Amino acid sequence: MRRPPRAFSAPEENPRRTRKTSPMATAPEPQPTAEVVRRLVADVVRLLQAYRDALGAQARATRRDIAMASLMTGAALALAALVPALAVAALILVLTLWLPAWLAVLGVLVLVLATSAGLVALSLRRLRRRRAAWSSQVGEEVRWLRNLFHRES
């Protein structure tokens, strides 16, 4: 079944639709230069205040993030400081499977003392090397200063 064709009628006036007028009729009235400058300055001030507020919020968030990161790093370091003690305790417990407890503790104590002594010996050797290099450098500079002042007199 076909629909009957619609009859053509002129569009009705829509009260919301405004009639098109010439651009000259809708142009705003020119404003005085002082008013334009005043509004421009007010807009710039509002923009600067918005930037200041955004920067303050960002700074607060950054401080909060740094504080939390510092707190978590401190907690991680505190836990990491416990690892050697836990390793020593675990080693003692493993050795008690084959040795008496007092002997296991004594063996681990000797191992820890030997390791500590080795690390101290290595660090002293590095310090002596550094001190020798520093002494030779200072000696060269003192000789240079002496030669500098002896030439002038």
Side-chain angles (χ1 to χ4, degrees):
M1 202 189 251
R2 288 179 81 179
R3 290 184 183 176
R6 292 186 182 179
F8 179 74
S9 62
E12 296 178 16
E13 276 293 316
N14 188 347
R16 289 189 223 159
R17 184 179 270 183
T18 59
R19 292 184 180 230
K20 291 185 178 180
T21 57
S22 69
M24 295 302 285
T26 60
E29 295 181 23
Q31 297 177 351
T33 305
E35 177 64 20
V36 171
V37 169
R38 186 193 62 75
R39 287 179 41 207
L40 183 63
V41 167
D43 288 345
V44 168
V45 167
R46 279 196 305 272
L47 180 65
L48 290 176
Q49 288 171 345
Y51 276 134
R52 181 198 63 203
D53 295 343
L55 187 60
Q58 186 177 6
R60 282 189 298 277
T62 301
R63 283 193 304 266
R64 185 178 56 245
D65 289 344
I66 289 173
M68 286 304 294
S70 299
L71 184 64
M72 286 187 242
T73 302
L77 288 175
L79 290 174
L82 296 176
V83 170
L86 293 175
V88 167
L91 184 60
I92 290 171
L93 289 174
V94 168
L95 287 178
T96 56
L97 295 174
W98 298 285
L99 301 172
W102 66 270
L103 190 55
V105 170
L106 185 62
V108 171
L109 179 63
V110 168
L111 178 67
V112 168
L113 287 176
T115 305
S116 298
L119 289 173
V120 166
L122 285 173
S123 65
L124 286 176
R125 189 172 70 178
R126 286 183 68 104
L127 286 174
R128 284 186 190 124
R129 234 183 322 166
R130 178 64 62 188
R131 189 178 79 186
W134 183 77
S135 294
S136 67
Q137 184 179 359
V138 168
E140 289 176 22
E141 292 194 16
V142 166
R143 271 194 302 280
W144 178 78
L145 285 172
R146 284 183 182 161
N147 288 338
L148 181 69
F149 289 118
H150 285 290
R151 288 182 194 167
E152 293 178 5
S153 40

